[in-house]
Structure formats: C-alpha cells, structure tokens
Amino acid sequence: MTREAGPPAAAPFEVLATRAQVTDAVERVAAELSTIYEDDVEPPILVGVLKGSTLFLADLIRAMPIAVQIDFMAISSYEAQAEQPSVVRIVKDLEHEITGRDVVIVEDIVDTGLTLAYLRRTLLEREPRSLRTVTLLDKAVRRIVPVELEHRVFEIPDVFVVGYGMDFQGHYRNVPQLVAVRDLPRLAAEPRLLVAPLFGAPQVRGAR
Ligand code: IMP
C-alpha cells in the first residue's frame, strides 16, 4: 500500500536574520551610541538584562571604540493576577552606583513594555545623569504600556524569536541566527530541532 502524500509540512521555523545581518545591524547601533558618549568625561555604564541580552551586549561593546563600563541586572516576572498587573522583581541588582552616570539599558527584546517600564522607573529613582535604552528586537505591535526606547536594532512582527541569546524553555541561546519559531509545541517536544539545521548549513558556517 502506498501512502498518500499530504501537503508539505510548514517549516517549524524561519531565519529572520543571519549572523552576518545581525553583525551589520549591531555595528550600526553601536556607532550611534558611540557618537553620543564619545566626548563624555565618565564612560557610560551599559546594563545588560540577564540572560537574553548577553550575546548582544558582548557584540555591541566590541563595536564601540570608546570607554564603556558594563553591569548586569536580573529580573523575574510573575504572571498577572486578577487584581494586579504583571509584577516584575529584581533578583540581581547592579554592582555600580549609577547616580550622576550615563546609563544604557541593553535589552534583548521589548514586547509588552512592562519589563522595560519597570526597569526605567527603578533606575531613574537612582538619579542617573541620563538613561537610554537599546534593544536588539522591538515587537512594537505588542506594546501595552508606552515606554521610551531610543535605539532598536530590528523591529519585528508578533513572532516568537529564539537564538542570539534568546531562549525557548532554556534552549537555543547559542543559535547564531535570529530565528522565528512557528511551531512552539513541536519545539517543546523536540528541543534539539533547530540545532542541526542551524549549525549545519554551509551558508551558516561561512557567515561572519
Ligand atoms: P515584556 O515585559 O513583555 O516587554 O517582555 C520582555 C521579555 O519577555 C524579554 O526580555 C524576553 O525575556 C521575553 N520575551 C518576549 N518575547 C520573546 C520572544 O519572542 N522570545 C524570547 N523571549 C521573549
């Protein structure tokens, strides 16, 4: 008995940006930031929001030919309860005093804006000299709170993204590309699904 061929299964993922495209775009934003701070007496402090922004922060500062310092914050968010909006909490705070300093929040992705709004409020209470935000990805269509966002590398539609620091259930932060996942249930069932295709493709190995 021959099996009927059904319609081809939709690819479970799509590469939004190759490693080379990410590098070019990050360098453009690094140049914007360098111009802003190049004449400052004290270097800006770039604050990476753990863990998703780590790869972006590493590439960003290597493309900034000015003095910079870095620090990290980790936050966790609780699901929204009926009687209160989603609550964000600091689980690792900065080591630097930021009063009087130029501070740049480095985010992986701004989605609803709740996390960034909380971070900005919290850091502004410490009276920095200035506060700006740079995000790798801006899902502007999903915003539920308006929030200032001065620099973005890519604006993206409402898709779930992994790779280049971003995870799904703890996996895929090391995938070099930015990947939109179409089939999250399949990814949950097969956590290695993206590894071979994305590390194995010759054009990927040859990418910067
Ligand atoms: P927001 O508070 O809704 O803006 O959420 C920001 C955080 O949600 C990000 O820092 C990510 O940790 C997470 N997030 C939102 N969208 C995605 C995605 O597409 N992939 C991975 N993490 C995401």
Side-chain angles (χ1 to χ4, degrees):
M1 196 172 80
T2 52
R3 209 186 304 171
E4 296 247 338
F13 66 88
E14 177 194 352
V15 174
L16 290 180
T18 64
R19 181 77 184 85
Q21 288 168 333
V22 172
T23 301
D24 287 349
V26 169
E27 285 175 357
R28 171 182 54 74
V29 173
E32 276 173 31
L33 287 168
S34 301
T35 305
I36 292 170
Y37 300 108
E38 64 189 348
D39 295 327
D40 281 10
V41 176
E42 280 205 281
I45 303 174
L46 277 75
V47 174
V49 185
L50 294 172
K51 301 171 188 164
S53 72
T54 48
L55 275 62
F56 173 40
L57 177 70
D59 285 344
L60 185 72
I61 60 172
R62 276 182 289 190
M64 293 177 67
I66 62 167
V68 299
Q69 292 184 307
I70 64 168
D71 208 335
F72 293 96
M73 283 182 99
I75 42 128
S76 71
S77 44
Y78 301 102
E79 284 301 304
Q81 306 292 314
E83 69 283 10
Q84 62 173 153
S86 178
V87 178
V88 185
R89 177 174 76 90
I90 295 176
V91 293
K92 185 223 171 293
D93 207 337
L94 297 176
E95 291 174 7
H96 287 80
E97 291 288 336
I98 60 163
T99 305
R101 300 292 302 271
D102 292 308
V103 175
V104 183
I105 298 171
V106 181
E107 268 282 20
D108 55 351
I109 182 160
V110 180
D111 184 16
T112 63
L114 286 165
T115 306
L116 181 58
Y118 170 81
L119 278 172
R120 284 188 54 87
R121 259 196 327 274
T122 304
L123 297 186
L124 283 170
E125 282 169 7
R126 303 178 192 182
E127 302 187 345
R129 177 167 179 258
S130 68
L131 181 63
R132 306 179 79 88
T133 301
V134 56
T135 187
L136 176 70
L137 300 179
D138 180 8
K139 266 194 221 179
V141 292
R142 291 254 311 159
R143 204 75 89 249
I144 60 175
V145 290
V147 66
E148 284 179 61
L149 178 54
E150 292 82 3
H151 306 271
R152 65 183 58 72
V153 179
F154 297 110
E155 183 170 337
I156 58 165
D158 184 9
V159 290
F160 191 85
V161 179
V162 298
Y164 197 64
M166 281 164 289
D167 76 312
F168 173 63
Q169 298 182 342
H171 298 275
Y172 302 121
R173 293 194 196 276
N174 60 326
V175 163
Q177 304 87 346
L178 285 171
V179 179
V181 178
R182 292 212 192 89
D183 191 343
L184 285 173
R186 184 158 169 215
L187 205 58
E190 297 175 56
R192 290 169 197 275
L193 185 70
L194 304 185
V195 173
L198 291 172
F199 279 96
Q203 73 273 22
V204 171
R205 279 205 303 271
R208 273 199 277 157

